[in-house]
Amino acid sequence: MTCSEIDISKYSEYTAIYGGTFAPPHIGHIRAALALMETLNPRELYLMPAAIPPHKQFHFTDSPKARKEMLNLCFRNNQQFGKRLFVSDYELNRKRVSYTYLTLEHFFENVNNKLIFLCGADMFVTLDTWRDAPRIFELADIAYVSRPGIDGIEECANRFIKDYRARIIHIPIECADISSTELRRAIASGEDTSKWLLPEVEDYIRKHRIYSDSRNG
């Protein structure tokens, strides 16, 4: 469903969670988070950097502290930051593999039993392969944003609805055609990344020499 096809007023009572590695956080992540806030108007949104993602390996220069701080830099000037928009260190503090269903269970039981889980198109199309996928669909309404080059999104949404009775919401924006993996390669090779990263994040990466391929210099 798109936002125009559902009663979005109910989501003012919901807590939204936007999980990911955010390594580094880029303009696509920012647009997705703000679009969800604007269109669904949830009670709050938690950006949730993963500690140890099940299917990804971090760059050797990366650190949980750096990814959290870069997310803070992305949103600190937003008037909702610290009020309805938060960077959560819940998964970072757990220091274990970041299975989404466990995070959703925690928030369902301790924060709000009405949840939205936001993900990008590349993650959305793989949701049914995640650990305890039925539990994910049970605990939260799933919101996603589109990205160029990701095919089969509508088919996946229909399958999730049929197989899991999932509650799917399409946030009608198209995010930047860039991935964090591509950005790390661009940073390592010294390419211009100003189109994708906020100046504050670029400065932080340079200062702390994150995503550099040089272990010595």
Side-chain angles (χ1 to χ4, degrees):
M1 295 183 179
T2 64
C3 292
S4 62
E5 297 172 320
I6 61 175
D7 177 15
I8 64 173
S9 63
K10 70 174 184 177
Y11 287 111
S12 63
E13 302 176 2
Y14 279 58
T15 293
I17 297 171
Y18 184 14
T21 53
F22 302 112
H26 54 69
I27 194 67
H29 297 133
I30 298 170
R31 288 176 181 169
L34 297 183
L36 182 134
M37 291 289 285
E38 181 178 348
T39 56
L40 298 186
N41 191 34
R43 189 176 79 180
E44 63 233 337
L45 168 62
Y46 290 90
L47 292 115
M48 186 74 59
I52 306 172
H55 306 300
K56 293 185 179 181
Q57 183 175 2
F58 287 130
H59 194 277
F60 67 89
T61 63
D62 209 334
S63 73
K65 178 183 177 182
R67 291 183 289 110
K68 179 185 175 183
E69 183 56 30
M70 286 188 286
L71 273 173
N72 283 325
L73 290 171
C74 286
F75 293 96
R76 66 179 180 179
N77 293 324
N78 186 284
Q79 62 181 358
Q80 298 297 328
F81 189 65
K83 301 174 183 177
R84 295 175 55 228
L85 178 61
F86 307 93
V87 175
S88 173
D89 57 6
Y90 170 71
E91 289 191 356
L92 299 181
N93 288 337
R94 291 183 74 244
K95 297 179 181 178
R96 293 186 287 174
V97 174
S98 300
Y99 290 118
T100 295
Y101 83 93
L102 293 175
T103 297
L104 293 178
E105 284 183 340
H106 169 80
F107 276 77
F108 187 92
E109 294 167 2
N110 297 284
V111 179
N112 191 354
N113 63 4
K114 297 178 179 179
L115 299 177
I116 306 165
F117 179 67
L118 172 64
C119 55
D122 54 339
M123 294 292 98
F124 177 77
V125 297
T126 69
L127 265 179
D128 58 341
T129 70
W130 292 18
R131 177 70 64 91
D132 207 346
R135 186 68 171 145
I136 294 173
F137 291 116
E138 176 187 353
L139 289 166
D141 291 19
I142 309 298
Y144 73 92
V145 293
S146 298
R147 199 180 100 194
I150 306 296
D151 299 322
I153 300 175
E154 187 173 345
E155 292 82 353
C156 281
N158 291 333
R159 187 174 76 253
F160 297 161
I161 293 169
K162 178 182 177 181
D163 294 348
Y164 300 99
R165 303 179 73 178
R167 303 169 301 280
I168 307 293
I169 312 154
H170 176 219
I171 305 296
I173 66 164
E174 189 171 275
C175 280
D177 187 16
I178 190 71
S179 70
S180 292
T181 300
E182 293 167 329
L183 264 177
R184 290 194 297 273
R185 291 171 182 160
I187 293 166
S189 62
E191 297 175 29
D192 180 11
T193 57
S194 59
K195 183 178 179 180
W196 311 112
L197 298 176
L198 293 187
E200 299 95 319
V201 174
E202 285 193 305
D203 290 344
Y204 186 94
I205 289 170
R206 281 194 294 267
K207 178 180 178 181
H208 296 277
R209 305 182 71 179
I210 308 172
Y211 312 126
S212 168
D213 276 347
S214 172
R215 294 175 185 263
N216 300 314

mmCIF file with all atom_site columns, all heavy atoms in Angstrom, residues 170-182:
data_model
loop_
_atom_site.group_PDB
_atom_site.id
_atom_site.type_symbol
_atom_site.label_atom_id
_atom_site.label_alt_id
_atom_site.label_comp_id
_atom_site.label_asym_id
_atom_site.label_entity_id
_atom_site.label_seq_id
_atom_site.pdbx_PDB_ins_code
_atom_site.Cartn_x
_atom_site.Cartn_y
_atom_site.Cartn_z
_atom_site.occupancy
_atom_site.B_iso_or_equiv
_atom_site.pdbx_formal_charge
_atom_site.auth_seq_id
_atom_site.auth_comp_id
_atom_site.auth_asym_id
_atom_site.auth_atom_id
_atom_site.pdbx_PDB_model_num
ATOM 1  N N   . HIS A 1 170 ? 4.383  1.642  1.585  1.00 0.00 ? 170 HIS A N   1
ATOM 2  C CA  . HIS A 1 170 ? 5.391  2.220  0.698  1.00 0.00 ? 170 HIS A CA  1
ATOM 3  C C   . HIS A 1 170 ? 5.469  3.718  0.940  1.00 0.00 ? 170 HIS A C   1
ATOM 4  O O   . HIS A 1 170 ? 4.492  4.441  0.755  1.00 0.00 ? 170 HIS A O   1
ATOM 5  C CB  . HIS A 1 170 ? 5.036  1.948  -0.762 1.00 0.00 ? 170 HIS A CB  1
ATOM 6  C CG  . HIS A 1 170 ? 5.975  2.594  -1.731 1.00 0.00 ? 170 HIS A CG  1
ATOM 7  N ND1 . HIS A 1 170 ? 5.556  3.166  -2.914 1.00 0.00 ? 170 HIS A ND1 1
ATOM 8  C CD2 . HIS A 1 170 ? 7.320  2.792  -1.683 1.00 0.00 ? 170 HIS A CD2 1
ATOM 9  C CE1 . HIS A 1 170 ? 6.589  3.663  -3.553 1.00 0.00 ? 170 HIS A CE1 1
ATOM 10 N NE2 . HIS A 1 170 ? 7.672  3.453  -2.833 1.00 0.00 ? 170 HIS A NE2 1
ATOM 11 N N   . ILE A 1 171 ? 6.626  4.191  1.383  1.00 0.00 ? 171 ILE A N   1
ATOM 12 C CA  . ILE A 1 171 ? 6.836  5.629  1.549  1.00 0.00 ? 171 ILE A CA  1
ATOM 13 C C   . ILE A 1 171 ? 7.215  6.192  0.183  1.00 0.00 ? 171 ILE A C   1
ATOM 14 O O   . ILE A 1 171 ? 8.237  5.813  -0.390 1.00 0.00 ? 171 ILE A O   1
ATOM 15 C CB  . ILE A 1 171 ? 7.966  5.912  2.561  1.00 0.00 ? 171 ILE A CB  1
ATOM 16 C CG1 . ILE A 1 171 ? 7.695  5.210  3.894  1.00 0.00 ? 171 ILE A CG1 1
ATOM 17 C CG2 . ILE A 1 171 ? 8.122  7.419  2.749  1.00 0.00 ? 171 ILE A CG2 1
ATOM 18 C CD1 . ILE A 1 171 ? 6.482  5.682  4.631  1.00 0.00 ? 171 ILE A CD1 1
ATOM 19 N N   . PRO A 1 172 ? 6.406  7.089  -0.372 1.00 0.00 ? 172 PRO A N   1
ATOM 20 C CA  . PRO A 1 172 ? 6.545  7.468  -1.792 1.00 0.00 ? 172 PRO A CA  1
ATOM 21 C C   . PRO A 1 172 ? 7.657  8.475  -2.061 1.00 0.00 ? 172 PRO A C   1
ATOM 22 O O   . PRO A 1 172 ? 7.418  9.600  -2.486 1.00 0.00 ? 172 PRO A O   1
ATOM 23 C CB  . PRO A 1 172 ? 5.169  8.053  -2.117 1.00 0.00 ? 172 PRO A CB  1
ATOM 24 C CG  . PRO A 1 172 ? 4.715  8.642  -0.825 1.00 0.00 ? 172 PRO A CG  1
ATOM 25 C CD  . PRO A 1 172 ? 5.240  7.728  0.259  1.00 0.00 ? 172 PRO A CD  1
ATOM 26 N N   . ILE A 1 173 ? 8.891  8.056  -1.806 1.00 0.00 ? 173 ILE A N   1
ATOM 27 C CA  . ILE A 1 173 ? 10.041 8.823  -2.278 1.00 0.00 ? 173 ILE A CA  1
ATOM 28 C C   . ILE A 1 173 ? 11.019 7.828  -2.901 1.00 0.00 ? 173 ILE A C   1
ATOM 29 O O   . ILE A 1 173 ? 10.938 6.631  -2.631 1.00 0.00 ? 173 ILE A O   1
ATOM 30 C CB  . ILE A 1 173 ? 10.748 9.603  -1.152 1.00 0.00 ? 173 ILE A CB  1
ATOM 31 C CG1 . ILE A 1 173 ? 11.394 8.622  -0.151 1.00 0.00 ? 173 ILE A CG1 1
ATOM 32 C CG2 . ILE A 1 173 ? 9.807  10.561 -0.472 1.00 0.00 ? 173 ILE A CG2 1
ATOM 33 C CD1 . ILE A 1 173 ? 12.406 9.279  0.746  1.00 0.00 ? 173 ILE A CD1 1
ATOM 34 N N   . GLU A 1 174 ? 11.898 8.334  -3.724 1.00 0.00 ? 174 GLU A N   1
ATOM 35 C CA  . GLU A 1 174 ? 12.949 7.486  -4.283 1.00 0.00 ? 174 GLU A CA  1
ATOM 36 C C   . GLU A 1 174 ? 14.275 7.945  -3.725 1.00 0.00 ? 174 GLU A C   1
ATOM 37 O O   . GLU A 1 174 ? 14.677 9.087  -3.910 1.00 0.00 ? 174 GLU A O   1
ATOM 38 C CB  . GLU A 1 174 ? 12.963 7.567  -5.810 1.00 0.00 ? 174 GLU A CB  1
ATOM 39 C CG  . GLU A 1 174 ? 13.888 6.552  -6.443 1.00 0.00 ? 174 GLU A CG  1
ATOM 40 C CD  . GLU A 1 174 ? 13.733 6.494  -7.954 1.00 0.00 ? 174 GLU A CD  1
ATOM 41 O OE1 . GLU A 1 174 ? 12.846 5.773  -8.439 1.00 0.00 ? 174 GLU A OE1 1
ATOM 42 O OE2 . GLU A 1 174 ? 14.512 7.186  -8.635 1.00 0.00 ? 174 GLU A OE2 1
ATOM 43 N N   . CYS A 1 175 ? 14.921 7.050  -2.995 1.00 0.00 ? 175 CYS A N   1
ATOM 44 C CA  . CYS A 1 175 ? 16.169 7.428  -2.333 1.00 0.00 ? 175 CYS A CA  1
ATOM 45 C C   . CYS A 1 175 ? 17.338 7.436  -3.306 1.00 0.00 ? 175 CYS A C   1
ATOM 46 O O   . CYS A 1 175 ? 17.246 6.951  -4.427 1.00 0.00 ? 175 CYS A O   1
ATOM 47 C CB  . CYS A 1 175 ? 16.453 6.480  -1.163 1.00 0.00 ? 175 CYS A CB  1
ATOM 48 S SG  . CYS A 1 175 ? 15.501 6.905  0.305  1.00 0.00 ? 175 CYS A SG  1
ATOM 49 N N   . ALA A 1 176 ? 18.431 7.967  -2.830 1.00 0.00 ? 176 ALA A N   1
ATOM 50 C CA  . ALA A 1 176 ? 19.625 8.106  -3.659 1.00 0.00 ? 176 ALA A CA  1
ATOM 51 C C   . ALA A 1 176 ? 20.105 6.759  -4.173 1.00 0.00 ? 176 ALA A C   1
ATOM 52 O O   . ALA A 1 176 ? 20.049 5.755  -3.473 1.00 0.00 ? 176 ALA A O   1
ATOM 53 C CB  . ALA A 1 176 ? 20.723 8.781  -2.851 1.00 0.00 ? 176 ALA A CB  1
ATOM 54 N N   . ASP A 1 177 ? 20.565 6.760  -5.417 1.00 0.00 ? 177 ASP A N   1
ATOM 55 C CA  . ASP A 1 177 ? 21.056 5.524  -6.039 1.00 0.00 ? 177 ASP A CA  1
ATOM 56 C C   . ASP A 1 177 ? 22.512 5.300  -5.641 1.00 0.00 ? 177 ASP A C   1
ATOM 57 O O   . ASP A 1 177 ? 23.425 5.397  -6.453 1.00 0.00 ? 177 ASP A O   1
ATOM 58 C CB  . ASP A 1 177 ? 20.915 5.625  -7.561 1.00 0.00 ? 177 ASP A CB  1
ATOM 59 C CG  . ASP A 1 177 ? 21.245 4.300  -8.242 1.00 0.00 ? 177 ASP A CG  1
ATOM 60 O OD1 . ASP A 1 177 ? 21.279 3.270  -7.543 1.00 0.00 ? 177 ASP A OD1 1
ATOM 61 O OD2 . ASP A 1 177 ? 21.467 4.303  -9.462 1.00 0.00 ? 177 ASP A OD2 1
ATOM 62 N N   . ILE A 1 178 ? 22.706 5.011  -4.375 1.00 0.00 ? 178 ILE A N   1
ATOM 63 C CA  . ILE A 1 178 ? 24.052 4.771  -3.847 1.00 0.00 ? 178 ILE A CA  1
ATOM 64 C C   . ILE A 1 178 ? 23.913 3.856  -2.643 1.00 0.00 ? 178 ILE A C   1
ATOM 65 O O   . ILE A 1 178 ? 22.922 3.902  -1.928 1.00 0.00 ? 178 ILE A O   1
ATOM 66 C CB  . ILE A 1 178 ? 24.746 6.093  -3.433 1.00 0.00 ? 178 ILE A CB  1
ATOM 67 C CG1 . ILE A 1 178 ? 26.244 5.891  -3.113 1.00 0.00 ? 178 ILE A CG1 1
ATOM 68 C CG2 . ILE A 1 178 ? 24.028 6.738  -2.282 1.00 0.00 ? 178 ILE A CG2 1
ATOM 69 C CD1 . ILE A 1 178 ? 27.096 5.601  -4.300 1.00 0.00 ? 178 ILE A CD1 1
ATOM 70 N N   . SER A 1 179 ? 24.895 3.004  -2.447 1.00 0.00 ? 179 SER A N   1
ATOM 71 C CA  . SER A 1 179 ? 24.915 2.146  -1.271 1.00 0.00 ? 179 SER A CA  1
ATOM 72 C C   . SER A 1 179 ? 26.098 2.534  -0.394 1.00 0.00 ? 179 SER A C   1
ATOM 73 O O   . SER A 1 179 ? 27.060 3.174  -0.853 1.00 0.00 ? 179 SER A O   1
ATOM 74 C CB  . SER A 1 179 ? 25.035 0.674  -1.676 1.00 0.00 ? 179 SER A CB  1
ATOM 75 O OG  . SER A 1 179 ? 26.327 0.405  -2.196 1.00 0.00 ? 179 SER A OG  1
ATOM 76 N N   . SER A 1 180 ? 26.041 2.128  0.866  1.00 0.00 ? 180 SER A N   1
ATOM 77 C CA  . SER A 1 180 ? 27.170 2.410  1.762  1.00 0.00 ? 180 SER A CA  1
ATOM 78 C C   . SER A 1 180 ? 28.438 1.714  1.274  1.00 0.00 ? 180 SER A C   1
ATOM 79 O O   . SER A 1 180 ? 29.546 2.244  1.415  1.00 0.00 ? 180 SER A O   1
ATOM 80 C CB  . SER A 1 180 ? 26.823 1.979  3.190  1.00 0.00 ? 180 SER A CB  1
ATOM 81 O OG  . SER A 1 180 ? 25.804 2.801  3.719  1.00 0.00 ? 180 SER A OG  1
ATOM 82 N N   . THR A 1 181 ? 28.283 0.530  0.692  1.00 0.00 ? 181 THR A N   1
ATOM 83 C CA  . THR A 1 181 ? 29.446 -0.192 0.159  1.00 0.00 ? 181 THR A CA  1
ATOM 84 C C   . THR A 1 181 ? 30.129 0.622  -0.933 1.00 0.00 ? 181 THR A C   1
ATOM 85 O O   . THR A 1 181 ? 31.359 0.781  -0.937 1.00 0.00 ? 181 THR A O   1
ATOM 86 C CB  . THR A 1 181 ? 29.027 -1.554 -0.397 1.00 0.00 ? 181 THR A CB  1
ATOM 87 O OG1 . THR A 1 181 ? 28.438 -2.331 0.652  1.00 0.00 ? 181 THR A OG1 1
ATOM 88 C CG2 . THR A 1 181 ? 30.223 -2.305 -0.965 1.00 0.00 ? 181 THR A CG2 1
ATOM 89 N N   . GLU A 1 182 ? 29.335 1.163  -1.847 1.00 0.00 ? 182 GLU A N   1
ATOM 90 C CA  . GLU A 1 182 ? 29.887 1.985  -2.923 1.00 0.00 ? 182 GLU A CA  1
ATOM 91 C C   . GLU A 1 182 ? 30.529 3.256  -2.368 1.00 0.00 ? 182 GLU A C   1
ATOM 92 O O   . GLU A 1 182 ? 31.572 3.710  -2.856 1.00 0.00 ? 182 GLU A O   1
ATOM 93 C CB  . GLU A 1 182 ? 28.780 2.333  -3.918 1.00 0.00 ? 182 GLU A CB  1
ATOM 94 C CG  . GLU A 1 182 ? 28.256 1.136  -4.691 1.00 0.00 ? 182 GLU A CG  1
ATOM 95 C CD  . GLU A 1 182 ? 26.967 1.434  -5.433 1.00 0.00 ? 182 GLU A CD  1
ATOM 96 O OE1 . GLU A 1 182 ? 26.182 2.273  -4.955 1.00 0.00 ? 182 GLU A OE1 1
ATOM 97 O OE2 . GLU A 1 182 ? 26.734 0.818  -6.489 1.00 0.00 ? 182 GLU A OE2 1
#
